[in-house]
Amino acid sequence: MKERISTKRSALFFLICALCGAGAVPVFLRYLLKSPELGGLGLDIWVINALRYAMAPLFWLPFVLAKGCNMVTDKNTAADVVVVTDGNRIWRDALLPACFSIVNQAAWGGVGKYADANTIAFFSKLAFPVAILYCFMFFPEERLLVRSRLFWLGVAGCVAGLALLSVERMTFSSLLNTNMLGLLLLLLIAVSWGGYSVCVRLKMPNYSAISSFWVISVYTTIGLALLMWAFGNVATVTGLDTKTWGIVIASSLVGITFWHVLYYKAIRGLGTIVADGVLMLSPAITIAGSALVLGEHMTLLQAIGGIIIAGGSILLVVAQGRFHHKNYK
């Protein structure tokens, strides 16, 4: 029991770190992709998307070479241990989540061109109810959470808080500035992310977070590179200056390289629903980032919304903890 509590605390810490990264992603994307006339860099969608993701497998490669990509996680201690397994097994298991990842990352890479950072942050949270539906479909133990009043109060708090966060920023004007393609991409982000998060938990629970993400990131990089060669202006790579490369690298490290590994560790210890519920707080991080970069400021209503989401997230964690204590003590 003490080991399980310690694992959950570690998972919660990883989730909080992932939350900060999730909030920063829309700001990075908007700055990289929007036109210079609007204060951005106006970079090619497909090129930047492929470059950002390619840095993740390169960064983790030394760790994988040192420990091997067939590492598994002891479910009792969450400690990474090396075991003898089929060398092709992890590559097979990673195929399905990688397909969702490619779709999700392609949509993320493009949406910054058609929607502002706050619109991206708010609408992408549609992934939360999608993830709940997926979890109820594939994980019988998650369906038992519907009996918990705390769980439903937590879900309601997350949704209500998100509504308060978005009611002032998500005006008719901002929606009009988001064209139909942007809205379709945001919907695709939500559906594909829900599928990705569930598939990671379904297919990769026996591998370490680094090993799992490294294999998936290799597949995803290949897919995004093919899209770059097919639709992107590859020649623009040679025109990137040092400052731009620094921003691209920082966005990759914060929003992809570290973020996914932290997220994998979080869903392993807390479950997909709780992890995605806490991530509903990320628009508040986005608003703070927009304030620093764009000079915008959080209103009192948005602050209240953030506090309500935080309360809802806490209820989700408590509900999940009580459920596991009751069923596995």
Side-chain angles (χ1 to χ4, degrees):
M1 178 61 69
K2 289 183 179 179
E3 290 178 344
R4 185 175 291 116
I5 293 174
S6 177
T7 299
K8 287 185 177 298
R9 287 176 178 173
S10 298
L12 187 58
F13 171 76
F14 294 137
L15 184 56
I16 292 172
C17 294
L19 172 65
C20 296
V25 169
V27 180
F28 273 121
L29 286 176
R30 188 60 175 166
Y31 182 69
L32 287 168
L33 298 175
K34 71 178 181 179
S35 65
E37 292 79 11
L38 298 176
L41 298 179
L43 302 177
D44 183 88
I45 294 173
W46 303 104
V47 170
I48 292 304
N49 208 18
L51 288 179
R52 290 177 67 244
Y53 221 93
M55 293 173 189
L58 289 175
F59 179 89
W60 291 120
L61 181 59
F63 296 88
V64 174
L65 292 177
K67 293 187 176 182
C69 67
N70 289 321
M71 291 166 52
V72 300
T73 297
D74 185 315
K75 294 182 180 180
N76 293 321
T77 64
D80 291 333
V81 295
V82 178
V83 298
V84 178
T85 60
D86 178 0
N88 295 320
R89 179 179 154 193
I90 190 172
W91 293 93
R92 291 198 302 266
D93 290 340
L95 272 173
L96 185 57
C99 289
F100 279 105
S101 176
I102 292 171
V103 173
N104 185 261
Q105 291 301 321
W108 264 113
V111 75
K113 191 79 171 181
Y114 306 103
D116 61 56
N118 294 306
T119 303
I120 296 171
F122 296 127
F123 268 78
S124 64
K125 296 303 111 181
L126 289 173
F128 181 50
V130 172
I132 291 178
L133 291 176
Y134 282 149
C135 285
F136 285 174
M137 289 171 60
F138 295 106
F139 301 111
E141 68 274 15
E142 295 280 13
R143 288 198 292 269
L144 296 177
L145 282 171
V146 300
R147 303 173 185 174
S148 170
R149 293 181 180 178
L150 283 179
F151 169 76
W152 288 113
L153 283 173
V155 171
C158 289
V159 174
L162 183 66
L164 288 177
L165 267 175
S166 61
V167 69
E168 293 180 332
R169 291 291 178 93
M170 285 303 303
T171 61
F172 284 111
S173 175
S174 66
L175 286 176
L176 289 174
N177 289 332
T178 303
N179 61 28
M180 184 58 66
L181 179 57
L183 293 176
L184 290 175
L185 287 174
L186 287 167
L187 180 61
L188 188 59
I189 286 172
V191 174
S192 60
W193 178 257
Y196 171 70
S197 59
V198 169
C199 283
V200 168
R201 183 179 171 191
L202 192 66
K203 293 291 187 178
M204 313 299 291
N206 295 324
Y207 305 102
S208 72
I210 292 177
S211 300
S212 299
F213 176 60
W214 184 77
V215 175
I216 292 174
S217 68
V218 169
Y219 281 135
T220 305
T221 298
I222 293 172
L224 295 178
L226 292 174
L227 290 172
M228 177 185 70
W229 284 102
F231 304 109
N233 184 5
V234 183
T236 59
V237 175
T238 59
L240 301 180
D241 58 24
T242 303
K243 177 184 176 181
T244 302
W245 272 112
I247 296 173
V248 171
I249 293 172
S251 69
S252 174
L253 291 175
V254 172
I256 297 176
T257 306
F258 299 140
W259 191 91
H260 284 264
V261 172
L262 292 167
Y263 179 71
Y264 285 15
K265 289 180 176 291
I267 62 175
R268 181 167 293 154
L270 297 170
T272 304
I273 292 177
V274 173
D276 283 358
V278 174
L279 289 179
M280 294 278 278
L281 266 172
S282 64
I285 308 297
T286 301
I287 291 174
S290 297
L292 292 174
V293 176
L294 305 175
E296 301 172 345
H297 300 286
M298 179 181 288
T299 66
L300 177 61
L301 194 60
Q302 289 167 341
I304 294 173
I307 293 172
I308 293 176
I309 293 179
S313 301
I314 291 172
L315 289 178
L316 287 176
V317 174
V318 172
Q320 196 256 14
R322 286 187 177 180
F323 166 77
H324 280 279
H325 176 73
K326 183 184 297 184
N327 289 276
Y328 298 106
K329 63 181 179 180

